[in-house]
Amino acid sequence: MTRYDFAAIQEKWKARWESDRAWSAPRLPAGEKRYVLEMFPYPSGDMHMGHVENFTIGDVIARYWTKRGYDVLHPFGFDAFGLPAENAAIKRGTPPREWTYANIERFTASCKTLAFAYDWDRSFATCDPSYYRWNQWLFLKLFERGLAYRAEAKVNWCPSCRTVLANEQLSEGVCWRCGSTPQVRDLEQWFFRTTAYAQRLLDDMDQLSWTDAVLTMQRNWIGRSDGAVVNFTIAQTGDTVPIFTTRPDTLYGATFFVFAPEHPIAHTLAMRAGKIANYEAFVEEVRRQSDIDRMAMTSQRRAFDLEATAVNPLNGEEIPVFASDYVLMGYGTGAIMAVPAHDQRDFEFARQYGIPIRVVVQPEDAEVLDPDTMEEAYEGQGHLVNSGPFDGNPSYEAKRLIGLHLKNHTLGYPDTQYRLRDWLVSRQRYWGTPFPIVHCPSCGVVPVPEEQLPVELPEVVDYQPTGDAVSPLATATDWVKVDCPTCGGEARRETDTMDTFVDSSWYFLRFCDARNDAAPFDPETVNAWMPVEQYTGGTDHAVMHLIYARFITKFLNDIGLVDATEPFMRLLNQGWITKGGKAMSKSLGNVVEPAEVIEPYGADTLRLHMMFIGPPEAPYDWPEEGAQACIGSFRFLERVWRLVVENAAELSGAGEPSGSSELRKLIHRKLAVITDDYDRYSFNTAVARLMELQAALTKAVGTAPAAEVREGVDVLLHGLAPFCPYVTEELWERLGGTGSIHKAAWPEVDRDLARVERVTMVVQVDSKVRDRIEVDAGIGEQDAVALALASENVRRHLPGEPAKVIARPPRLVNLLTG
Ligand code: ANZ
Ligand code: ZN
């Protein structure tokens, strides 16, 4: 066989690796470990190119670390509960279970063809009862500690998904899944108390090697604000009303007071004013708006005059009291002091209703602020004016002083608030984990005892959700009817199911010990593998999955089951793969499936192409010409194939090379930079250097000693192995290599040979010498030209782009203008 028959090679090694269970990690690592994980997929059909990129990145890292001698855990499974299965069931009449497992089978087959080095012995789908039973266990643990609770709340109802959504699951105000605008409803729902962990979620970000973009999104989502609680008094009733402000330094500038319309004291004041009917209509109107609309900057504010005054505790001033939509009941204390000179929303309100504006912070080195001519609030820092004894203090200092003063006179105290809300986990849908909860008419809310888990999801006849916020599970009447675990009386099961983000909040722990049927996992095993050193996935999970997984890890750490306080130490966000500029999706009909490339060119070509097109983080628009775009990678593998197969006899008999020929220097220099590229996850440059190495070796065949060429071929195959597992394994075998190349150690760089000599490169413009630059003797053409173009003197003589470039690295670059 001299032709590069990728299909035959694929079949041969796929079967071999599968029967050898080549990537099954031991129960516990023996030496130093690495846990490599890609965000597990939702099996909505076969995989597409976005998955291929994500999984190839993780796979290359896992394979590289294996070759570097680590014990690697690289598991894979399916995030298999969720709406698409139900929607498919409604459309086609196939039960969600059948549809899901059929997709999992197809998806798994594609993973195997693409040679992803997964530990299939640890694989599972979250819809397996042997998995979701532990979701129920987790729920019980949270419930026991008061971290899972039921409450009536104003929630976001997606009219098209017909379920509620957590706040994290709104993106820019619309449903993350379908893009519909949610409605506001009052429902009794289950929550997890994520807010109890707000500060730790912030503090522990120090430990994480994540991009600044994702860390910033997390920080903003948690939204810590430092300020003070200040007690105002309603003059007419004597009620004390605390407010939260981030700017206690502006207390003298408060000219009115605003309640959230839902505030109970606002209600009493409306009653007192004899305006209760109007008030209730007003509240009703406001409640129909989402919080996001209420917070938005608009010039129109809904206001209700409560005909009362509030006393400012610092200066005794009485200011008018309103209720308005822009104050939210769920943040701070649900009431504010309004400082129109220094808060834009208060400013708009004051202008709209003709309320006085008083400047109390004067910016340094600026014109004196005039309330009559100001066009917007001044929200910055400065020094205090119109603020009695605090005049002249810098505002940041006044913030501290006034906080202290409030505390000393028991008028308030310094305080911290978080924007983060508790995680709403109830869903009114069928295809999810049932809550282990029973509602009993005499005992109330009763948890199902641990030994009765799992509460299995029953089959139902109709998956159509009922529009009035009741899960289709309610139609499984035999299942719903149950004896109360406490009193034995007739009770009914909770019919909501858990948010599928509960499933993904701890799956990485289960992977460590996936077949445990006595516990969610054995702590010893989890502690040996956790944390995940390298996690790869899209930025779309920056605040959803990643906040939840961090929260659950901290909780399990608190109850002594997990040593790690953070689940994912390093996060790589791969770039989006698009087609025609749009994210690949079934509904747009622009999905490119891997088979389009695998059939004509093979899995190795597809993997190589994916790593060659750019850095892992860069987006890539799948080209119009489709599979044809991969031809360059395919031709390269053909050249590698010929280099080895046509010279197999001499190469396999070759001994150890010695000496320090130019070829050996080149080989070790390449090895040094390729190793560095791998360590930096700069896979596209590693591929480029492997291509250069192959070209040099092909040229050297026949002239250089066979032992030296063999040394270079080994570097080539080892360097290529994580990208192209099939062809490298086959060629390794043909050269008589021992065992699998994928378990063989990464080659050692000979530092003496790799030492880079410096030479002087002459740079010419139109054949006139314009610069001399010190460069590495091994510099490539691209780098040489880039250096030449960056030279200042060259730029002076070459205003635009050169028309032609003659590059003879490392000695000469000549740039021609015409
Ligand atoms: C007076 C003030 C003066 C304020 C000033 C700001 C600037 P963050 O940073 O988001 O935490 N606020 C407090 N509770 C609120 C609620 N329930 N609904 C709407 N707004 C509320 O914002 C805190 C600031 O938002 C608080 O500080 C308060 O306005 C407002 F020059 O108090 B401030
Ligand atoms: Zn009972």
Side-chain angles (χ1 to χ4, degrees), residues 436-449 452 479-494:
I437 285 291
V438 167
H439 297 279
C440 169
S442 41
C443 311
V445 170
V446 181
V448 174
Q452 287 174 29
W479 178 85
V480 172
K481 226 174 81 190
V482 65
D483 294 341
C484 168
T486 307
C487 72
E490 193 176 309
R492 49 174 208 88
R493 289 191 189 280
E494 168 70 62

Side-chain angles (χ1 to χ4, degrees), residues 491-656:
R492 49 174 208 88
R493 289 191 189 280
E494 168 70 62
T495 57
D496 282 357
T497 54
M498 290 183 207
D499 181 5
T500 59
F501 282 92
V502 175
D503 311 348
S504 51
S505 69
W506 70 284
Y507 77 110
F508 44 92
L509 301 173
R510 181 71 179 170
F511 274 145
C512 299
D513 192 18
R515 297 292 173 260
N516 197 329
D517 55 16
F521 50 80
D522 160 42
E524 186 201 352
T525 313
V526 157
N527 291 333
W529 286 112
M530 282 295 287
V532 174
E533 272 83 10
Q534 179 58 56
Y535 199 33
T536 309
T539 45
D540 45 333
H541 287 294
V543 289
M544 297 193 275
H545 163 56
L546 292 173
I547 290 248
Y548 302 144
R550 296 182 62 215
F551 159 67
I552 293 295
T553 303
K554 290 178 193 307
F555 166 67
L556 292 171
N557 172 274
D558 277 355
I559 63 171
L561 293 179
V562 177
D563 288 347
T565 52
E566 281 292 331
F568 316 123
M569 302 321 289
R570 189 164 167 178
L571 175 68
L572 193 156
N573 301 118
Q574 85 274 11
W576 282 101
I577 305 281
T578 52
K579 173 83 189 285
K582 302 217 166 65
M584 287 189 189
S585 93
K586 281 251 164 64
S587 55
L588 290 176
N590 64 346
V591 171
V592 182
E593 292 194 356
E596 285 183 35
V597 178
I598 295 176
E599 270 161 31
Y601 299 124
D604 279 342
T605 292
L606 176 54
R607 293 173 54 114
L608 186 67
H609 180 73
M610 279 298 185
M611 294 299 94
F612 189 42
I613 51 184
E617 301 83 359
Y620 178 66
D621 196 49
W622 193 259
E624 273 312 310
E625 70 264 37
Q628 206 41 41
C630 302
I631 190 95
S633 297
F634 178 71
R635 294 267 183 261
F636 165 61
L637 293 184
E638 278 188 324
R639 287 194 295 275
V640 173
W641 178 262
R642 280 202 303 273
L643 168 66
V644 177
V645 170
E646 287 169 8
N647 305 291
E650 307 93 277
L651 292 176
S652 32
E656 288 288 312

Side-chain angles (χ1 to χ4, degrees), residues 650-655 697 705-715 732 735-737:
E650 307 93 277
L651 292 176
S652 32
L697 293 171
E708 291 185 9
V709 178
R710 171 65 199 260
E711 185 180 34
V713 164
D714 280 348
V715 168
W732 177 253
L735 287 178

